[in-house]
Amino acid sequence: MKNNIDHLRITPNASMHYALQVIDKGAVQIALVVDEVGKLLGTLTDGDIRRGLLKGLSLESSVESIYYRTPTVAMVTDTNEAILQIALRKKLHQIPIINEEGKVVALREIDDLVQPSQKSNKVVLMAGGLGKRLGDLTRNTPKPMLNVGNKPILQTIIESFSKSGYTSIVLSVNYLSHKIENYFGDGSNFGVTIEYVHETERMGTAGALSLMRNMLSEPFFVMNADLLTNVDFEKLHQFHIMQNPVATMAVREYDFQVPYGVVNIEDDRVTSIIEKPVHKFFVSAGIYMLSPAVLEYVPDGHFFDMPSLFDKLIQEGQYASSFPIHEYWLDIGRMSDFERANDEFNGVF
């Protein structure tokens, strides 16, 4: 029970950026939206903010339009057993406790009581790429084994998942796979268990999943093994559960500025000129959470990448969701990315 919740309180006019800081510093995955006298108006989670970003809001927008106005609450007079039953029925991780005046006085956390810290969901890391764009660096070393911050990129990824409780790792390997296997072994030296799947030929970011059908029985992560990010994987997992899609793709915003004035024309008439407009897109971040049902859409023994898988799911009428990330993210594909990663590593990890 958290009785000191002052640091979790925000007002409806708080910015989404400030709310994220409250949620992250509070370490309980929630902010409590209150009025001027402390009466509970609603709750706000990381998922609410990400959905707001997908709707076109910015981090400077207020939380007024996105916070949840009818949260499940418990009274100060409720027993622990009663609160636990409410949480189990509603699949909640925490419940605000209010008094008779409707003022929030505490927050009851449920996670420690109903779920273990370690999760059984598997983490599939695609570590078989050639890394040709990095030239001599990958001539004798697979790209995931390049050192950034004095340790392999792949080690940083595995440690990040382990810190979130995901310790069952599957490595899909190909190029110079023996160097990866010799370094990590069965994973016991890194606090995880590692299984290896060998691609005898390049199968793409989704094709290799056809080799793992008997290994994946619950929602699982897939991630490219050449990424550096401090994304909270547990939040991605929770988002996937709450949205209940067959597949979730982590996406990040990409801005592109046209270096010229754009002229809008109807017939031969100039209707407007927009000087150097900025276009915003969401692009794939190379991180996914998939339900086992997607495996039936993955062909056997063929090259098949993630965009093709998502296209197929969409064509078949399956629900695929997006999880916008605002945290640090870097794809180490070129020499400049590798140099940048080493410059920034200590300030992020």
Side-chain angles (χ1 to χ4, degrees):
M1 177 87 75
K2 285 188 176 295
N3 293 310
N4 183 8
I5 55 170
D6 289 344
H7 62 297
L8 302 177
R9 301 173 195 258
I10 62 172
T11 59
N13 61 356
S15 71
M16 289 166 55
H17 182 267
Y18 176 73
L20 273 176
Q21 293 179 319
V22 170
I23 292 170
D24 289 342
K25 290 180 181 178
V28 290
Q29 305 171 7
I30 195 171
L32 304 172
V33 184
V34 299
D35 64 13
E36 62 277 3
V37 296
K39 185 175 180 179
L40 184 67
L41 299 178
T43 57
L44 188 76
T45 66
D46 180 89
D48 294 326
I49 293 175
R50 293 182 197 268
R51 283 185 285 272
L53 293 173
L54 287 175
K55 292 178 180 178
L57 298 178
S58 75
L59 287 176
E60 300 310 313
S61 302
S62 79
V63 303
E64 173 66 38
S65 65
I66 63 170
Y67 76 84
Y68 185 56
R69 286 169 163 75
T70 56
T72 298
V73 298
M75 301 297 296
V76 291
T77 53
D78 288 337
T79 64
N80 285 343
E81 179 62 27
I83 295 172
L84 180 58
Q85 290 304 314
I86 294 172
L88 291 174
R89 187 169 64 253
K90 297 281 190 175
K91 297 181 179 180
L92 300 174
H93 294 285
Q94 60 279 115
I95 295 180
I97 308 298
I98 62 174
N99 61 20
E100 293 181 354
E101 298 175 342
K103 295 181 179 179
V104 60
V105 295
L107 185 72
R108 185 67 168 92
E109 297 180 80
I110 311 300
D111 287 359
D112 293 339
L113 300 177
V114 298
Q115 66 181 30
S117 58
Q118 282 197 348
K119 292 87 170 175
S120 59
N121 307 81
K122 290 188 181 294
V123 176
V124 178
L125 300 176
M126 298 299 180
L130 301 178
K132 288 183 177 180
R133 289 182 295 169
L134 289 170
D136 289 342
L137 284 178
T138 53
R139 189 178 304 279
N140 298 306
T141 304
K143 183 163 64 167
M145 294 302 293
L146 293 177
N147 276 7
V148 172
N150 297 318
K151 59 184 173 183
I153 301 166
L154 184 54
Q155 181 177 340
T156 297
I157 294 172
I158 289 174
E159 289 174 347
S160 294
F161 274 104
S162 179
K163 288 176 183 176
S164 295
Y166 303 98
T167 59
S168 183
I169 310 296
V170 180
L171 295 182
S172 181
V173 295
N174 183 326
Y175 178 63
L176 298 176
S177 61
H178 65 282
K179 295 201 171 185
I180 296 175
E181 294 181 68
N182 290 342
Y183 186 88
F184 289 102
D186 63 3
S188 56
N189 290 336
F190 301 89
V192 299
T193 59
I194 296 179
E195 300 172 87
Y196 296 91
V197 172
H198 294 84
E199 300 180 46
T200 55
E201 58 186 31
R202 293 187 65 237
M203 300 186 69
T205 48
L209 297 177
S210 66
L211 305 175
M212 312 174 195
R213 296 187 194 278
N214 63 342
M215 303 168 64
L216 304 169
S217 59
E218 59 185 328
F220 59 94
F221 293 93
V222 177
M223 178 172 168
N224 299 340
D226 56 359
L227 301 177
L228 282 180
T229 181
N230 59 3
V231 168
D232 189 324
F233 298 114
E234 191 169 10
K235 288 179 181 176
L236 171 55
H237 186 181
Q238 292 169 354
F239 187 90
H240 181 82
I241 292 172
M242 293 295 294
Q243 298 296 107
N244 196 31
V246 71
T248 298
M249 174 190 292
V251 298
R252 57 188 296 269
E253 194 173 85
Y254 177 79
D255 296 344
F256 172 76
Q257 184 171 30
V258 178
Y260 308 103
V262 172
V263 181
N264 293 316
I265 299 174
E266 291 182 8
D267 297 325
D268 63 348
R269 183 188 181 111
V270 175
T271 58
S272 65
I273 301 174
I274 304 174
E275 185 64 26
K276 298 180 180 179
V278 176
H279 296 280
K280 295 186 177 182
F281 308 90
F282 282 108
V283 299
S284 173
I287 308 168
Y288 314 88
M289 190 156 207
L290 309 177
S291 297
V294 305
L295 297 174
E296 64 183 82
Y297 298 94
V298 178
D300 288 321
H302 295 286
F303 184 91
F304 197 60
D305 58 20
M306 276 293 177
S308 297
L309 174 59
F310 273 78
D311 280 342
K312 194 168 186 179
L313 293 173
I314 293 167
Q315 291 170 9
E316 294 292 331
Q318 296 292 336
Y319 171 35
S321 70
S322 57
F323 177 79
I325 63 174
H326 49 75
E327 298 88 344
Y328 181 85
W329 180 95
L330 180 63
D331 176 7
I332 304 174
R334 297 165 298 184
M335 184 63 70
S336 58
D337 300 320
F338 179 70
E339 294 170 351
R340 177 183 166 190
N342 274 291
D343 288 340
E344 297 176 345
F345 185 88
N346 291 331
V348 178
F349 297 94

